[in-house]
DNA sequence: CGGGCCTTGTCAGCGAATTGTCAGCACGGC
DNA sequence: GCCGTGCTGACAATTCGCTGACAAGGCCCG
């Protein structure tokens, strides 16, 4: 967990270093706006603590340039007490949080943890099974990286098989899952969907175990 | 963009409602801890503003119970001035931000926006998705740099899609966030808004995945 | 207070994509 | 070789989403 502290006051920088270090961060410090900009733009930090009053380049400008370059690591800004307008500006420039000086170290650490916790909680929702990839955010399917157009029903079928982890799924269970069991379909409806999918995906993706059901090949042999 | 305001003081609640409403949120309010807990646990909000002193159940307990149930929407806590210990507790209970009372409405709105941005994994107030740019501060939209006049409702739709990061958003979810679920609309209302937007933005901006919902094209290929 | 403009929900019709059904075919198991 | 299960292609029905028009409501300005 790397953290960058941008602060020109030696004493405060040392305190921050100590407190964040004790909280489990690997801390680097930097006292000047240009260095800060360069480091933040090229290195990969889990958190940046940024003081606004800096030599060589103003903290707000640094922040804006990071954001303009698409860097979106969490940034905690330190502001002067009571300058609420400055805080609004900071937030609109892309700060994730601010702390008015002077502050309690406990509070800084708590907010740092909260920021990191939040920025970590964004997993990509893609599942890969054999040559098949499905993205549950985009509701899309790809085969060996090539996107394949599938309809809603086809997607749901694939998704259910994928989440079943290669298990052989009986037709009854699939029917029940795809449609409510309220409205009944001919048993053949399912076979038709599978057939259409196989035409799109080619052989070797959806397997049949005669008398038992369907499964995704390549997931668990 | 639905927001829940939990505040027992009628006047403050009304002010918050007005300010957040003007900032483009669809605001619901609630004055008691138990209701708050129930709403936050069952409904889907983009933001919750939570006062700590509440009847029926303490704000911190409400928050903890949400988090214990795995609800991770951004929560902005209102605290009494100077009670920094209370703030640390709040953050460790899972608050994403706090604001000491009394506060400036401008600041609250700025932080609310920042929270929503952050929870979508974006750092900046200006979002670019494909040819589309939207500025969450000014509530304005541009297409390839050319400003486009959109209505409040259209903007909210675009903003929600943009903050969803290109995910396919089901119509039900969109309806819920554009209007509260208090007043129901025909399903067609949504399609009408999308149609109007497409007329303004041209093709290739808002995509449809039949059977699933809408998404912003070009957000990540 | 009245008038006009802007916004937005609703309706009805249309077109296309999706999907169920059917009938015949293929293939595997015994 | 026979039987049954599952596959396929064609076809038709249906669902889904889009569009344009219209009307109701809201808001600003005179």
């Amino acid at each position: 967990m790397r953290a960058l502290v941008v602060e020109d006051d030696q004493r405060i920088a040392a305190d921050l270093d100590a407190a964040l270090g004790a909280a489990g961060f690997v801390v680097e410090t930097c006292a000047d706006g240009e260095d800060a900009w360069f480091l933040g733009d090229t290195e990969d930090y889990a958190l940046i603590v940024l003081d606004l009053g800096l030599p060589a380049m103003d903290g707000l400008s640094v922040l804006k340039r990071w954001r303009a370059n698409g860097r979106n690591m969490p940034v905690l800004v330190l502001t002067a007490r009571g300058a609420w307008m400055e805080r609004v500006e900071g937030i609109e420039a892309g700060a994730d949080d601010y702390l008015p000086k002077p502050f309690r170290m406990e509070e800084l650490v708590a907010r740092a943890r909260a920021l990191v916790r939040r920025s970590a909680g964004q997993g990509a929702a893609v599942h890969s099974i054999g040559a098949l990839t499905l993205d549950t955010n985009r509701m899309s399917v790809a085969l060996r990286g090539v996107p394949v157009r599938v309809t809603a029903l086809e997607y749901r079928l694939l998704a259910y098989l994928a989440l079943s982890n290669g298990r052989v799924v009986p037709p009854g269970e699939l029917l029940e899952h795809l449609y409510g069991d309220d409205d009944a379909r001919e048993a053949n409806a399912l076979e038709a969907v599978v057939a259409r999918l196989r035409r799109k995906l080619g052989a070797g993706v959806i397997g049949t175990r005669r008398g038992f059901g369907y499964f995704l090949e390549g997931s668990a042999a």
Side-chain angles (χ1 to χ4, degrees), chain A residues 172 174-186:
Chain A
L174 274 174
L175 282 168
E176 190 178 313
H177 183 78
L178 289 187
Y179 320 102
D181 35 20
D182 328 317
D183 58 338
R185 286 342 196 257
E186 296 287 319

Side-chain angles (χ1 to χ4, degrees), chain A residues 1-191:
Chain A
M1 200 72 71
R2 283 173 86 196
L4 177 65
V5 170
V6 186
E7 167 65 67
D8 57 327
D9 183 320
Q10 289 283 344
R11 273 238 347 236
I12 302 182
D15 287 353
L16 286 170
D17 190 340
L20 289 173
F25 290 91
V26 177
V27 184
E28 294 169 36
T29 60
C30 138
D32 136 11
E34 281 199 3
D35 290 355
W37 172 70
F38 179 75
L39 285 172
D41 212 42
T42 55
E43 300 291 318
D44 191 25
Y45 296 101
L47 170 75
I48 296 186
V49 179
L50 176 67
D51 188 21
L52 285 195
L54 289 174
M57 189 189 304
D58 173 67
L60 269 189
S61 313
V62 174
L63 178 53
K64 278 186 192 150
R65 287 174 69 166
W66 284 336
R67 296 312 190 203
N69 279 11
R71 313 283 306 172
N72 62 351
M73 60 284 183
V75 173
L76 197 164
V77 165
L78 304 179
T79 74
R81 147 163 258 108
W84 68 269
M85 202 47 215
E86 184 178 62
R87 300 203 288 257
V88 172
E89 273 173 21
I91 289 176
E92 295 191 338
D96 296 289
D97 204 351
Y98 72 81
L99 203 55
K101 293 205 268 192
F103 51 84
R104 293 275 189 161
M105 273 303 162
E106 294 94 327
E107 185 164 2
L108 180 125
V109 169
R111 317 201 110 225
R113 282 215 188 95
L115 272 184
V116 170
R117 183 188 346 127
R118 174 155 286 279
S119 81
Q122 290 156 204
V126 303
H127 299 252
S128 284
I129 302 93
L132 199 69
T133 310
L134 70 169
D135 182 328
T136 55
N137 275 343
R138 299 202 190 335
M139 305 289 190
S140 67
V141 175
L143 186 67
R144 272 177 286 278
V146 183
V148 178
R149 258 181 58 89
V150 295
T151 70
L153 189 66
E154 290 165 354
Y155 176 85
R156 277 189 280 152
L157 174 58
L158 277 181
Y160 192 73
L161 288 181
L163 295 182
S164 299
N165 218 39
R167 174 175 63 95
V168 175
V169 181
E173 188 181 335
L174 274 174
L175 282 168
E176 190 178 313
H177 183 78
L178 289 187
Y179 320 102
D181 35 20
D182 328 317
D183 58 338
R185 286 342 196 257
E186 296 287 319
N188 199 302
L190 185 59
E191 296 167 13

Side-chain angles (χ1 to χ4, degrees), chain A residues 161 167-172 174 190 206-215:
Chain A
L161 288 181
R167 174 175 63 95
V168 175
V169 181
L174 274 174
L190 185 59
I206 303 179
T208 306
R209 181 126 304 159
R210 206 182 169 84
F212 290 101
Y214 298 98
F215 63 98

